[in-house]
């Protein structure tokens, strides 16, 4: 249906319009849980620790990647707006696409050069995006909430905390079970589980909203009460922290090992150049090590950004390491290392680990015999 004439928009076809970007209105943040009136708000937002938070919306890395994609490839998925007539004024409110529009506004503010697919060249952002191609429809608050939730869930999900807050708001507004399932596009079983999360204590809900625990663990915790729940939660978080520290320590060892390889390669390059020899091989070794160092540093950064996250294995606790698992996971990997070699693992260490695995499989209890067998194996090699 064609929207009535407004000087700020220009009809293209069907529900597609060109709109002056300054005419676009941002929706309110989240939902007011102190009111029983249902009013649309961006479902990404929720209160965390007394402050407004938003999953996926304000993350610098995510927004930076999205902005660069729009800058170099263009805006491919059109934002969705709804038209609101209020107090003799017309508003065009964002239902889906706030992250894209924020990215475009930043490109305009930075006076960036952006790619125009139609012209197949880069042009000033003001030339390309002063008017934006969007979808515009008339829709009520329930429809807007449904559209925003479903579209966000298909892209960067709004997260469990924001979803729980949205369902809580719908409950406050006496929205029926059937309507909530219709709005979210999810099942009645999902709704029953989500209601259990609504009643979580503040500490557990905070762990869920900060993504230290996932939905599965939160549901399991909801079946516990009082001190039992908090004790189990603390155990989960401690296990996640310990696992993170072990991974960080392992990466630090790898980092130091790779840095040593780089130093050795640099020394080989200097010696080769000093003697007038071929420095290509040590240069290749250095380049390979530098690439690996970058990968390790990126892994460390990602771990630090994400922080400790508990999983279902933390709930179940450590399971005994059986001989079948040793053969499947340890021995197979060790054999591969011994055949192919490794820049990061000493072959002698791999041989020792392989000897110990064989001893465990055989039920050997005398460690001295295993060490002697390893010594003899080293001498043969």
């Amino acid at each position: 249906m064609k929207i009535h004439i407004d000087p700020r928009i220009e009809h293209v076809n069907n529900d597609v319009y060109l709109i002056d970007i300054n005419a676009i209105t941002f929706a309110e943040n989240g939902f007011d849980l102190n009111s029983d009136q249902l009013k649309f708000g961006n479902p990404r937002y929720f209160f965390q620790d007394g402050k407004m938070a938003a999953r996926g919306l304000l993350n610098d890395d995510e927004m930076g990647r999205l902005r660069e994609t729009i800058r170099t490839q263009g805006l491919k998925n059109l934002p969705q707006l709804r038209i609101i007539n209020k107090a003799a004024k017309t508003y065009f409110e964002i239902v889906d696409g706030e992250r894209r529009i924020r990215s475009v506004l930043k490109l305009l503010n930075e006076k960036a050069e952006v790619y125009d697919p139609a012209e197949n060249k880069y042009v000033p952002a003001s030339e390309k995006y002063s008017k934006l191609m969007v979808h515009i429809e008339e829709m009520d608050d329930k429809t807007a909430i449904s559209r925003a939730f479903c579209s966000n869930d298909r892209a960067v999900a709004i997260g469990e905390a924001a979803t729980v807050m949205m369902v809580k708001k719908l409950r406050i507004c006496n929205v029926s079970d059937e309507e909530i399932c219709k709005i979210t596009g999810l099942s009645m079983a999902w709704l029953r589980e989500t209601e259990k999360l609504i009643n979580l204590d503040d500490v557990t809900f905070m762990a869920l909203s900060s993504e230290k625990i996932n939905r599965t663990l939160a549901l399991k915790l909801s079946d516990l009460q009082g001190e039992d729940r908090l004790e189990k939660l603390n155990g989960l978080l401690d296990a996640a922290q310990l696992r993170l520290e072990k991974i960080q320590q392992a990466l630090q060892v790898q980092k130091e090992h790779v840095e040593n390889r780089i130093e050795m390669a640099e020394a080989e390059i200097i010696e080769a150049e000093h003697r007038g020899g071929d420095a290509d091989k040590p240069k290749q070794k250095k380049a390979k090590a530098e690439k690996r160092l970058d990968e390790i540093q990126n892994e460390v950064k990602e771990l630090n950004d994400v922080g400790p996250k508990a999983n279902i294995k933390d709930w179940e606790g450590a399971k005994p390491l059986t001989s079948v698992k040793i053969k499947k996971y340890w021995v197979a990997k060790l054999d591969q290392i011994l055949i192919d070699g490794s820049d990061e693992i000493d072959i002698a260490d791999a041989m020792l680990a392989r000897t110990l695995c064989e001893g465990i499989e055989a039920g050997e209890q005398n460690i001295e015999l295993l060490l002697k067998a390893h010594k003899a194996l080293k001498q043969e090699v």
Side-chain angles (χ1 to χ4, degrees):
M1 180 177 67
K2 187 174 178 179
I3 305 297
H4 71 278
I5 300 300
D6 186 296
R8 298 169 296 173
I9 65 174
E10 175 186 340
H11 185 240
V12 178
N13 59 60
N14 298 324
D15 67 345
V16 178
Y17 292 79
L18 268 176
I19 184 170
D20 184 334
I21 196 164
N22 295 317
I24 296 174
T25 301
F26 287 90
E28 292 185 8
N29 298 339
F31 304 103
D32 181 5
L33 298 180
N34 296 316
S35 169
D36 61 359
Q37 291 187 336
L38 186 60
K39 185 178 179 183
F40 173 68
N42 188 327
R44 284 191 181 278
Y45 287 94
F46 59 95
F47 277 97
Q48 177 175 294
D49 220 8
K51 299 177 181 178
M52 190 66 78
R55 184 183 188 273
L57 183 65
L58 300 178
N59 180 291
D60 289 340
D61 288 339
E62 278 188 355
M63 290 298 288
R65 287 194 295 270
L66 175 60
R67 190 164 59 253
E68 183 62 12
T69 298
I70 293 173
R71 190 189 73 80
T72 58
Q73 299 180 26
L75 183 61
K76 295 183 178 180
N77 298 314
L78 304 187
Q80 173 71 63
L81 312 184
R82 69 169 181 159
I83 185 169
I84 303 173
N85 295 304
K86 184 169 58 178
K89 290 186 177 181
T90 300
Y91 300 90
F92 299 96
E93 183 180 60
I94 302 170
V95 174
D96 170 35
E98 180 168 336
R99 297 166 72 247
R100 281 165 275 165
I101 291 174
R102 287 187 182 276
S103 296
V104 168
L105 287 170
K106 190 166 180 63
L107 290 171
L108 286 165
N109 186 56
E110 293 174 345
K111 296 182 172 59
E113 291 282 315
V114 302
Y115 179 68
D116 184 347
E119 299 292 333
N120 193 27
K121 65 179 182 179
Y122 281 83
V123 299
S126 57
E127 181 180 321
K128 176 65 179 172
Y129 292 125
S130 59
K131 287 191 174 182
L132 206 60
M133 194 87 74
V134 298
H135 295 286
I136 302 178
E137 295 180 47
E138 293 179 347
M139 63 180 77
D140 59 20
D141 289 288
K142 281 184 184 178
T143 305
I145 291 171
S146 177
R147 190 75 65 85
F149 176 81
C150 293
S151 61
N152 280 323
D153 206 44
R154 288 192 299 269
V156 179
I158 67 174
E160 292 298 340
T163 300
V164 170
M165 290 296 98
M166 185 187 74
V167 173
K168 187 173 183 179
K169 173 63 177 179
L170 294 173
R171 275 279 179 253
I172 292 170
C173 297
N174 297 315
V175 178
S176 68
D177 290 355
E178 290 74 16
E179 285 183 295
I180 293 176
C181 290
K182 184 178 179 181
I183 287 171
T184 59
L186 296 169
S187 68
M188 193 66 71
W190 172 87
L191 179 57
R192 292 288 170 262
E193 289 181 343
T194 301
E195 287 176 337
K196 294 170 71 174
L197 301 183
I198 290 174
N199 298 316
L200 285 174
D201 61 275
D202 291 344
V203 175
T204 307
F205 186 78
M206 179 66 68
L208 176 64
S209 66
S210 60
E211 300 184 353
K212 292 181 178 178
I213 60 173
N214 57 29
R215 180 183 178 89
T216 300
L217 292 177
L219 287 169
K220 283 182 169 291
L221 287 166
S222 71
D223 293 331
L224 303 177
Q225 301 298 322
E227 291 184 2
D228 289 340
R229 178 190 294 169
L230 294 179
E231 182 179 351
K232 186 66 175 180
L233 173 62
N234 288 331
L236 291 171
L237 299 180
D238 287 344
Q241 180 63 40
L242 181 60
R243 182 172 58 256
L244 175 64
E245 290 174 358
K246 286 182 177 179
I247 295 172
Q248 289 172 328
Q249 290 169 3
L251 286 172
Q252 180 60 32
V253 171
Q254 290 184 39
K255 179 174 177 287
E256 291 172 358
H257 180 70
V258 172
E259 287 173 340
N260 287 336
R261 283 164 49 199
I262 292 173
E263 289 181 6
M264 291 174 63
E266 288 174 341
E268 290 176 12
I269 292 170
I270 293 172
E271 183 178 358
E273 291 177 343
H274 178 71
R275 295 177 178 274
D278 186 1
D280 286 345
K281 190 173 181 178
K283 284 180 178 178
Q284 290 173 2
K285 289 166 61 177
K286 181 186 176 185
K288 184 178 179 181
E290 287 175 336
K291 181 181 178 182
R292 178 55 186 151
L293 183 61
D294 286 340
E295 293 173 350
I296 293 172
Q297 290 171 336
N298 288 334
E299 288 181 56
V300 170
K301 183 180 183 303
E302 185 176 345
L303 283 172
N304 292 337
D305 290 343
V306 172
K309 284 189 175 185
N311 57 43
I312 193 64
K313 290 183 179 180
D314 297 324
W315 180 278
E316 296 169 348
K319 293 183 178 180
L321 189 62
T322 63
S323 60
V324 173
K325 287 184 178 180
I326 291 173
K327 189 172 183 179
K328 180 178 179 180
Y329 298 109
W330 288 18
V331 173
K333 184 63 178 178
L334 287 167
D335 286 344
Q336 182 183 344
I337 292 170
L338 290 171
I339 293 170
D340 299 338
S342 172
D343 291 332
E344 298 175 10
I345 298 172
D346 190 287
I347 294 299
D349 292 338
M351 290 169 60
L352 173 59
R354 185 68 173 82
T355 302
L356 293 174
C357 286
E358 289 177 350
I360 293 171
E361 284 187 90
E364 178 59 66
Q365 298 182 20
N366 189 332
I367 188 65
E368 289 185 5
L369 288 178
L370 294 177
L371 292 174
K372 288 177 181 178
H374 170 64
K375 183 178 180 181
L377 184 61
K378 281 200 303 181
Q379 289 173 345
E380 290 178 11
V381 174

